[in-house]
Amino acid sequence: MSSRALALLWLAAGVAHAAETTTLPQGAFTLDVGYLHSTITQAWDGKRRSRPLIEDIPRYEPGAGLQGVLSARPTVLYQAALFQLNYGVTDWLTVGAYVPLVLATTVNLNFQWAEGDFQSQLGRTYSEDDFWAWAGSLGQPRPPSRWVGNRSTLADIILGARARVPQLAFLKAAGLHVAGTLQVALPTGRPPDPE
């Protein structure tokens, strides 16, 4: 098959089966288990340009010029297990619970230091060790280069219900199905660590 024919097949219209109006038969259960593995290394601005997750932080000595620039190029790995349980109360009403369990979050910070101006009081430029010694004197210890947290942490549970509206004659003639969905999030997760 030629690449043009394949492209035309991809562009051909087809019936969408999103199942957003589907409800389970009365007494039926479904259990859906999924695994989410997501890595992020950059952010995007409003003009679709790649940006670092953490902007560079220039450090200045009062009245003495640039000490240096602290930068981080973090890589973040997020892993979660997703459990969804649904039950058909009636043929037109389904209730469900969505339980996300965060398996782990791993952050590799990849700190870098670009030296700044010559500091006459030191007789040299500030080093990265000088910067972290100063930060430590203010109560901010140097973070580890790799952080792993949120192990087996429950995120917010979502409870929901979907009710299918009986198919009226004009909806049936138009080939339309209508359903209403209600979801409520229970604050079972925990706030992130401020550090």
Side-chain angles (χ1 to χ4, degrees):
M1 181 180 281
S2 74
S3 60
R4 287 184 187 163
L6 185 59
L8 286 174
L9 282 175
W10 282 343
L11 295 175
V15 177
H17 297 286
E20 292 298 323
T21 59
T22 302
T23 54
L24 292 175
Q26 183 175 358
F29 281 96
T30 62
L31 175 63
D32 183 32
V33 179
Y35 172 73
L36 175 67
H37 181 104
S38 179
T39 302
I40 186 169
T41 58
Q42 60 192 4
W44 301 91
D45 67 12
K47 295 181 181 177
R48 299 181 180 187
R49 291 180 299 205
S50 171
R51 310 293 293 172
L53 288 175
I54 300 174
E55 296 292 333
D56 292 348
I57 303 169
R59 301 294 311 163
Y60 291 93
E61 182 73 23
L66 180 68
Q67 291 177 340
V69 179
L70 179 66
S71 60
R73 297 296 176 254
T75 300
V76 181
L77 171 62
Y78 180 78
Q79 301 172 78
L82 311 169
F83 303 92
Q84 184 173 347
L85 178 65
N86 293 305
Y87 174 69
V89 178
T90 66
D91 286 344
W92 57 270
L93 177 64
T94 298
V95 296
Y98 181 75
V99 182
L101 177 67
V102 179
L103 301 174
T105 305
T106 305
V107 180
N108 291 312
L109 292 174
N110 301 319
F111 277 122
Q112 299 169 6
W113 177 262
E115 293 182 349
D117 301 333
F118 179 82
Q119 303 293 322
S120 58
Q121 70 274 23
L122 290 177
R124 58 179 171 79
T125 58
Y126 268 91
S127 68
E128 185 175 3
D129 290 335
D130 293 329
F131 169 77
W132 286 114
W134 169 80
S137 71
L138 298 175
Q140 174 62 59
R142 181 178 184 151
S145 59
R146 177 182 167 99
W147 177 84
V148 179
N150 299 328
R151 291 184 186 269
S152 302
T153 302
L154 192 62
D156 291 351
I157 294 174
I158 299 173
L159 301 178
R162 176 178 295 148
R164 185 169 29 102
V165 176
Q167 197 170 17
L168 303 172
F170 73 94
L171 292 173
K172 190 172 188 176
L176 297 175
H177 298 272
V178 177
T181 301
L182 173 68
Q183 294 180 337
V184 177
L186 303 177
T188 51
R190 64 178 187 219
D193 185 339
E195 291 295 324

